[in-house]
Amino acid sequence: MKQRLLLCLLLCGVMLYYAVPRLSLQAGGAESLFAASWLLFALCTIAGNLTALLYSPKGRRKPIKKKEYKKMHHYS
């Protein structure tokens, strides 16, 4: 899970590095609207991936032993 999030963050960074010099916010009209919306969506993607990476659970739950598993199903 963490590898996928890190890969997505890396790809977002590469896309921003490639696209930011080519986007023009001062052009006016549809071109600046596209540039602003593209940057907004890119920043939302980075924020979402960072949030998922930072707030992901740290450890796994310990597995249920067979005795406990049988007890749980025996009474239900």
Side-chain angles (χ1 to χ4, degrees), residues 10-39:
L10 180 66
L11 288 175
C12 286
V14 168
M15 285 194 305
L16 277 173
Y17 180 77
Y18 182 76
V20 166
R22 290 162 176 78
L23 293 174
S24 175
L25 291 172
Q26 293 134 359
E31 186 178 351
S32 66
L33 181 64
F34 172 78
S37 62
W38 195 93
L39 287 172

Side-chain angles (χ1 to χ4, degrees), residues 2-74:
K2 288 190 179 193
Q3 292 86 9
R4 181 185 63 87
L5 293 170
L6 286 173
L7 179 65
C8 289
L9 279 172
L10 180 66
L11 288 175
C12 286
V14 168
M15 285 194 305
L16 277 173
Y17 180 77
Y18 182 76
V20 166
R22 290 162 176 78
L23 293 174
S24 175
L25 291 172
Q26 293 134 359
E31 186 178 351
S32 66
L33 181 64
F34 172 78
S37 62
W38 195 93
L39 287 172
L40 180 69
F41 286 133
L43 291 176
C44 286
T45 303
I46 290 173
N49 283 314
L50 274 176
T51 302
L53 186 64
L54 292 174
Y55 291 109
S56 62
K58 299 294 179 206
R60 294 181 153 200
R61 289 189 264 165
K62 61 181 181 179
I64 299 175
K65 296 178 184 176
K66 286 188 178 183
K67 281 185 178 180
E68 294 173 8
Y69 185 73
K70 286 180 181 178
K71 286 181 184 178
M72 288 182 350
H73 285 288
H74 178 63

